[in-house]
Amino acid sequence: MNFADLNWQEMMDATVATLKMIVFSGLFTIILGLPLGILLYLCERSNSIVIRVIYSVLSLLVNILRSVPFIILMVALIPFTKEIVGTSIGVLGTIPPLVIGAAPFFARLVETALREVDRGVIEAAQGMGASTNQIVMRVLLPEARPGLIAGVTITLVTLVSYTAMAGQVGGGGLGDLAIRYGYLRYETEIMLISITFIVILVQLLQMAGDRLVRHFTRK
């Protein structure tokens, strides 16, 4: 193997493309997944038949989206992606399918984190006359903060894997570089460097997430 002839500029461009995909899709995933997870949690505990039906529909939709392998979901969403952002390739073309693939996953993690909140704390807030909005903002979200941060970390790590798969259908980034050079052209050096960068990225995300969880758990 000869690493001397590597095109480092291309490696850096692919790394930046991967980071852009993770940052923007992660941001929109949280914006969509957090309220969806809260809604699932609240609807599940309602005694209203109508709201229980809404919960069943939302839960089914989330399960369906989570069941579809991301590479297939990305291909199936190409017409929708073109309609939304005007292209289905490159960093811009990967963001809508990344968000649609990750938001339901994150919503389930949010729902699970909220379930871990002590019922006694919630009942105490209800006893003091707190509204649903106040319970969510002042009780559920602060109490579930370590679980929510852990959920964000897991989602971002999952998005790293998704971006690698997106490279197979023109998404760009490190996954695209590893497949294009490592698999199609047998240039093992580029594949190894791409894998190393992806592993480092995942480790950094996990370490940052774990540190934040420990910090807020102690409070």
Side-chain angles (χ1 to χ4, degrees):
M1 287 188 288
N2 181 13
F3 291 93
D5 296 330
L6 280 178
N7 187 339
W8 289 103
Q9 184 57 50
E10 193 173 19
M11 292 296 307
M12 287 301 105
D13 291 343
T15 303
V16 170
T18 295
L19 291 174
K20 283 182 180 176
M21 284 188 272
I22 294 169
V23 169
F24 288 110
S25 60
L27 179 63
F28 287 114
T29 294
I30 293 170
I31 290 174
L32 289 176
L34 182 61
L36 179 58
I38 294 171
L39 188 61
L40 285 168
Y41 173 83
L42 294 176
C43 288
E44 186 187 20
R45 279 152 180 75
S46 175
N47 294 322
S48 167
I49 296 176
V50 175
I51 294 178
R52 297 283 299 177
V53 170
I54 292 173
Y55 172 79
S56 299
V57 172
L58 282 176
S59 183
L60 178 63
L61 183 62
V62 166
N63 288 341
I64 290 173
L65 288 174
R66 288 182 58 200
S67 301
V68 181
F70 177 71
I71 189 71
I72 297 173
L73 180 68
M74 190 170 183
V75 173
L77 288 174
I78 285 177
F80 174 76
T81 303
K82 284 183 177 177
E83 191 69 30
I84 295 295
V85 296
T87 179
S88 64
I89 60 174
V91 172
L92 195 58
T94 60
I95 292 176
L98 282 172
V99 173
I100 293 173
F105 174 72
F106 179 60
R108 282 296 188 203
L109 294 178
V110 170
E111 184 186 11
T112 302
L114 297 180
R115 283 177 181 163
E116 297 298 320
V117 176
D118 188 350
R119 287 292 304 168
V121 179
I122 300 171
E123 288 169 1
Q126 290 172 330
M128 289 186 288
S131 65
T132 301
N133 187 52
Q134 289 172 324
I135 291 172
V136 170
M137 299 303 295
R138 298 181 183 179
V139 178
L140 285 173
L141 294 182
E143 289 291 326
R145 191 159 42 192
L148 294 174
I149 293 171
V152 170
T153 305
I154 294 170
T155 303
L156 291 178
V157 169
T158 302
L159 281 172
V160 175
S161 300
Y162 284 179
T163 60
M165 284 188 273
Q168 296 186 46
V169 286
L174 291 168
D176 171 55
L177 213 59
I179 293 166
R180 191 152 40 94
Y181 285 91
Y183 179 67
L184 299 179
R185 301 184 188 179
Y186 302 104
E187 296 184 24
T188 311
E189 299 88 348
I190 295 182
M191 184 175 66
L192 289 176
I193 296 295
S194 300
I195 292 172
T196 302
F197 280 13
I198 291 172
V199 170
I200 291 172
L201 182 57
V202 169
Q203 290 300 312
L204 290 175
L205 286 170
Q206 191 63 57
M207 287 168 60
D210 290 344
R211 177 166 290 191
L212 284 173
V213 169
R214 284 197 297 272
H215 173 74
F216 286 107
T217 301
R218 293 193 191 105
K219 287 190 172 181

